[in-house]
Amino acid sequence: MDRFNQTSPVVGFILLGLSAHPRLEKTFFVLILLMYLVILLGNGVLILVTILDSHLHTPMYFFLGNLSFLDICYTTSSVPLILDSFLTPRKTISFSACFGQMFLSFAMGATECVLLGMMAFDRYVAICNPLRYSMVMNKAIYIPMAAGSWAAGITNSVVQTSQAMRLPFCGDNVINHFTCEILAVLKLACADISMNVISMVVANVIFLGVPVLFIFVSYVFIIATILRIPSAEGKKKAFSTCSAHLTVVVVFYGTILFMYGKPKSKDPLGEDKQDLSDKLTSLFYGVVTPMLNPIIYSLRNKDVKAAVKNLLRKKN
């Protein structure tokens, strides 16, 4: 029977995950659990030091605290579900829980894109207009910038998730993914999804394309300004203030490009391997970037390193 003619409504979904590779499930359970604990610890420490250390009460570290909190929320929206799926033979999720998880993941991902753009603007002002920095990046400016990032990401998620929820699902309820990833869910709808696809393309342009362009232009001006600094020491000091953010941007967007930009295999015999590869890439994207962010900022930022040492010293 054609799936578009089926009328039995879907009340829940089955997450396929690594069901076809049971030997890998326990290995990845341990690996992902360890990475998740590192995410909670690393980002939790960054949030603590940005709140407790008065030297870090600046716009850059305010944005960093938001980024760390966002990474904890993003991974918590999906990792517990993934870990549970590795241990549970029947990997089911209710309709409402599925779209709830989709909403949270979508909101956090879109918010991070916008927030990274805001952080690039902060670095642009700090390096290109240092004398005006305290005037331009005051509390009346940077707090609404961070709040606007969250509002934009949540609004986008409301639009995308509500559109997906209105679709009829009446047949195949097996999601070929670890979580309720929106494209995997849309494939199960027994209705035309062209409007959903168009809406997602527009959202991708706004939340991926525009921030990338903004970050690129910001760093063109930043690099041009750094190159005009006469002393090597001055250049090194200026670059060190934005190197951590630039590294995070490269990791974040580089992983996205790797995930969605690689060519699809045309060999039918290689489809299963590619399907497994795509799933694992998506899985590690969801945990590797949030895990690396606090490590990058801790290793490449002497203020954060000093604040962490002070926090540890106080506890001892």
Side-chain angles (χ1 to χ4, degrees):
M1 185 185 294
D2 188 272
R3 69 186 262 201
F4 284 84
N5 293 326
Q6 295 178 22
T7 57
S8 177
V10 169
V11 294
F13 297 98
I14 298 171
L15 298 168
L16 203 56
L18 289 176
S19 299
H21 307 274
R23 291 183 180 181
L24 294 176
E25 290 188 318
K26 286 184 172 56
T27 302
F28 279 102
F29 173 83
V30 175
L31 186 60
I32 298 302
L33 177 61
L34 290 174
M35 294 173 76
Y36 182 51
L37 293 175
V38 171
I39 290 166
L40 295 179
L41 178 63
N43 286 288
V45 168
L46 269 184
I47 292 170
L48 271 178
V49 297
T50 55
I51 292 172
L52 298 177
D53 195 311
S54 59
H55 296 98
L56 302 185
H57 291 176
T58 64
M60 182 173 81
Y61 296 111
F62 176 76
F63 287 130
L64 177 58
N66 273 263
L67 182 65
S68 294
F69 180 67
L70 194 152
D71 283 338
I72 289 174
C73 292
Y74 178 73
T75 50
T76 302
S77 72
S78 58
V79 170
L81 178 65
I82 294 169
L83 292 175
D84 180 65
S85 74
F86 287 149
L87 300 177
T88 309
R90 183 77 173 171
K91 311 169 195 306
T92 58
I93 184 171
S94 68
F95 188 87
S96 57
C98 180
F99 283 97
Q101 185 269 316
M102 181 193 295
F103 167 79
L104 290 172
S105 295
F106 224 106
M108 299 305 109
T111 301
E112 182 154 356
C113 291
V114 180
L115 191 63
L116 288 173
M118 298 298 184
M119 295 172 78
F121 177 75
D122 172 72
R123 294 299 82 208
Y124 161 77
V125 178
I127 293 173
C128 300
N129 294 283
L131 298 179
R132 299 184 60 204
Y133 181 73
S134 58
M135 182 177 68
V136 174
M137 295 301 294
N138 58 62
K139 275 191 175 182
I141 300 295
Y142 69 77
I143 290 178
M145 285 171 65
S149 301
W150 284 91
I154 291 170
T155 301
N156 176 57
S157 186
V158 168
V159 171
Q160 303 301 331
T161 307
S162 61
Q163 285 183 335
M165 286 184 73
R166 285 199 293 266
L167 291 170
F169 295 91
C170 47
D172 187 6
N173 68 335
V174 179
I175 299 173
N176 189 19
H177 212 277
F178 295 102
T179 62
C180 293
E181 198 269 336
I182 190 165
L183 290 177
V185 174
L186 289 179
K187 289 177 182 177
L188 305 181
C190 47
D192 182 24
I193 61 169
S194 57
M195 289 305 298
N196 299 75
V197 173
I198 291 170
S199 177
M200 285 187 63
V201 169
V202 173
N204 286 340
V205 170
I206 294 170
F207 287 91
L208 283 174
V210 173
V212 166
L213 181 62
F214 187 78
I215 292 167
F216 176 76
V217 172
S218 296
Y219 273 98
V220 167
F221 283 105
I222 288 170
I223 292 169
T225 301
I226 291 174
L227 291 176
R228 288 200 297 269
I229 298 173
S231 68
E233 186 63 31
K235 288 178 182 177
K236 184 180 177 181
K237 185 178 179 181
F239 185 72
S240 68
T241 65
C242 61
S243 59
H245 173 258
L246 185 59
T247 305
V248 167
V249 167
V250 170
V251 170
F252 181 77
Y253 287 106
T255 313
I256 292 176
L257 288 174
F258 176 77
M259 280 175 60
Y260 296 107
K262 61 180 180 177
K264 300 293 181 183
S265 173
K266 294 182 180 179
D267 181 8
L269 297 175
E271 284 184 0
D272 288 342
K273 287 184 178 179
Q274 178 160 1
D275 181 52
L276 177 62
S277 173
D278 289 345
K279 285 182 183 179
L280 294 179
T281 302
S282 174
L283 174 63
F284 280 101
Y285 164 73
V287 290
V288 169
T289 304
M291 184 183 71
L292 289 179
N293 286 353
I295 296 172
I296 291 168
Y297 270 97
S298 298
L299 293 176
R300 303 187 68 89
N301 190 296
K302 61 181 182 181
D303 293 332
V304 172
K305 281 194 282 189
V308 171
K309 286 179 182 177
N310 288 335
L311 182 65
L312 293 174
R313 200 175 295 124
K314 286 178 181 178
K315 285 192 174 182
N316 293 331

